[in-house]
Amino acid sequence: MQSDLIRKATEVLQGGGLVAFPTETVYGLGANAFESAAVEKIFSMKERPSSNPLIVHIAEISQLKDLVEKVEPMEQLLIAAFWPGPLTLVFPKSDKVPKIVSGGLKTVAVRMPAHPMALELIKSCGFPIAAPSANPSGKPSATHHEHVKAYFGDRIFRMEGGETQHGLESTVVQVKNKVPHIYRLGSVTPEDIERVTGVKPVIDTRSPHSPGTHFKHYSPETQLCVLTKEVWKTRIYQALEHGKRVGILATTESARSLRGFEVTVFDLGSESNLMEVGSRLYSGLIELDQQKLNIIFVQEFPKTGLGLAIMDRLQRAASR
Ligand code: TXA
Ligand code: MG
């Protein structure tokens, strides 16, 4: 039987409204993907540039045929391996997809989220849901319904699903001439994609083909600085010497090295579990940002596997 929550959220979406819903990556801010006027509301609510295209969320493979021109064999492989899950694929779009969804591009990004509430909602609506991350443009993505509440209050209908599992947005991939191009790194890693397709992906995270990768992103208001191991303690010590209120975003192991320092620590979990680090990253940025600090220091991570996606987000969040 359908829950009250799903029924209400469905009514809001069917009436052309917006719903924030949990996915396994981050919360999405959704509207009926086939209704331009509803999708328009997402852009104004987020203050998102209209040239930044949205991801369309589906619950069944059969929904693809209304959205895309065709699906290539390598895309079939990726779908079979990673859907439902944190992989977005970019396809040539069908005429049914409104221009506003694709930011005027000839392509459309689609994914099938691996979250029971998201899947149930899409099935209940009967149409695909266009949804960016549920944050004002440029801010860290919401990984808990409390973040969504802090960002938008009661201006949107909010589904409360607690903390999301991955905490990093989906990996965005387009297959071009039988080669996978990664436009955004995520928890499906380049290694995962190579294993499934047999082809080493091109990492193209500043691509003109993916406009969203160019905008300011994930940034807290407080200054954020990524530190290497070599300067970790000295830079933090110097900031304290200058009378700064210092926030630290670090693994349990790195935070331990700061015992006795007067700093506000957000623990990202053990360095041996990058999955957990990724899932806690935005919570850390959002929560430290609420503490009126002068500067937040975050440690560097090795740029392999999931570390690559974590460093991508940190470097973007730290750039001014
Ligand atoms: O995990 C996620 O993907 C979350 C959840 C809610 O599904 N959504 C999300 O959406 O992160 P958003 O709007 O914050 O990021 C969408 C990304 C942008 O980097 C955008 O450039 C890229 O997807 N994108 C969307 N449509 C595209 C297209 N047609 N071609 C290339 N890149 C596209
Ligand atoms: Mg986003």
Side-chain angles (χ1 to χ4, degrees):
M1 215 189 61
Q2 199 181 55
S3 72
D4 260 9
L5 183 63
I6 295 287
R7 191 176 44 75
K8 277 189 197 141
T10 304
E11 278 169 17
V12 173
L13 288 168
Q14 285 174 340
L18 303 184
V19 168
F21 62 97
T23 80
E24 80 283 24
T25 58
V26 300
Y27 276 73
L29 182 57
N32 180 349
F34 289 135
E35 200 184 323
S36 297
V39 175
E40 175 68 57
K41 292 180 192 163
I42 297 177
F43 284 87
S44 40
M45 184 63 68
K46 282 190 58 128
E47 298 186 37
R48 180 179 175 108
S50 61
S51 58
N52 190 359
L54 304 181
I55 295 171
V56 178
H57 297 68
I58 59 173
E60 266 150 322
I61 300 287
S62 61
Q63 291 181 294
L64 262 185
K65 67 176 186 316
D66 283 338
L67 297 168
V68 315
E69 278 289 297
K70 62 175 177 194
V71 181
E72 301 286 350
M74 188 181 278
E75 293 162 344
Q76 303 273 18
L77 278 177
L78 291 166
I79 288 172
F82 299 114
W83 281 9
L87 176 75
T88 294
L89 287 170
V90 174
F91 300 93
K93 87 174 193 66
S94 86
D95 293 340
K96 271 183 103 172
V97 178
K99 213 169 158 182
I100 184 164
V101 170
S102 59
L105 298 175
K106 290 197 169 77
T107 53
V108 62
V110 185
R111 89 177 189 96
M112 187 188 292
H115 193 293
M117 275 165 99
L119 291 171
E120 217 191 312
L121 179 66
I122 301 163
K123 282 182 194 161
S124 156
C125 286
F127 47 73
I129 298 179
S133 49
N135 53 277
S137 200
K139 291 277 172 277
S141 301
T143 56
H144 194 286
H145 60 253
E146 288 298 338
H147 302 154
V148 180
K149 189 175 175 185
Y151 281 143
F152 299 108
D154 292 326
R155 287 183 292 151
I156 48 172
F157 185 90
R158 185 176 63 247
M159 292 174 79
E160 304 199 335
E163 193 160 71
T164 61
Q165 182 197 353
H166 290 277
L168 295 177
E169 304 81 354
S170 62
T171 306
V172 178
V173 172
Q174 182 174 18
V175 176
K176 289 195 286 192
N177 302 320
K178 301 193 172 71
V179 179
H181 290 245
I182 299 180
Y183 294 145
R184 182 172 70 184
L185 295 155
S187 34
V188 172
T189 64
E191 293 86 342
D192 293 332
I193 289 167
E194 180 169 358
R195 180 173 44 77
V196 168
T197 62
V199 180
K200 203 178 176 66
V202 174
I203 298 179
D204 194 6
T205 54
R206 306 265 166 188
S207 174
H209 302 293
S210 190
T213 57
H214 294 274
F215 297 107
K216 180 176 157 247
H217 256 120
Y218 321 117
S219 308
E221 297 291 327
T222 318
Q223 187 190 348
L224 178 74
C225 182
V226 187
L227 295 181
T228 61
K229 258 206 171 83
E230 292 71 39
V231 300
W232 177 242
K233 263 176 124 165
T234 35
R235 286 288 304 281
I236 295 166
Y237 173 74
Q238 282 165 356
L240 289 169
E241 277 287 287
H242 283 90
K244 294 201 169 159
R245 287 188 306 278
V246 173
I248 301 291
L249 194 57
T251 59
T252 314
E253 293 82 357
S254 303
R256 206 175 283 145
S257 73
L258 299 174
R259 247 185 233 142
F261 283 49
E262 257 194 59
V263 291
T264 305
V265 174
F266 186 98
D267 189 336
L268 292 169
S270 170
E271 64 188 18
S272 65
N273 186 355
L274 283 190
M275 189 60 198
E276 186 182 359
V277 171
S279 77
R280 293 177 59 76
L281 201 63
Y282 292 137
S283 276
L285 287 174
I286 293 171
E287 285 178 31
L288 287 175
D289 205 24
Q290 291 164 346
Q291 312 248 348
K292 311 248 174 305
L293 303 161
N294 301 116
I295 188 160
I296 301 169
F297 290 113
V298 54
Q299 75 183 82
E300 194 180 55
F301 289 87
K303 285 190 180 172
T304 55
L306 196 51
L308 206 57
I310 292 172
M311 281 306 289
D312 169 80
R313 300 306 192 278
L314 286 178
Q315 276 159 347
R316 288 173 197 266
S319 73
R320 289 269 131 184

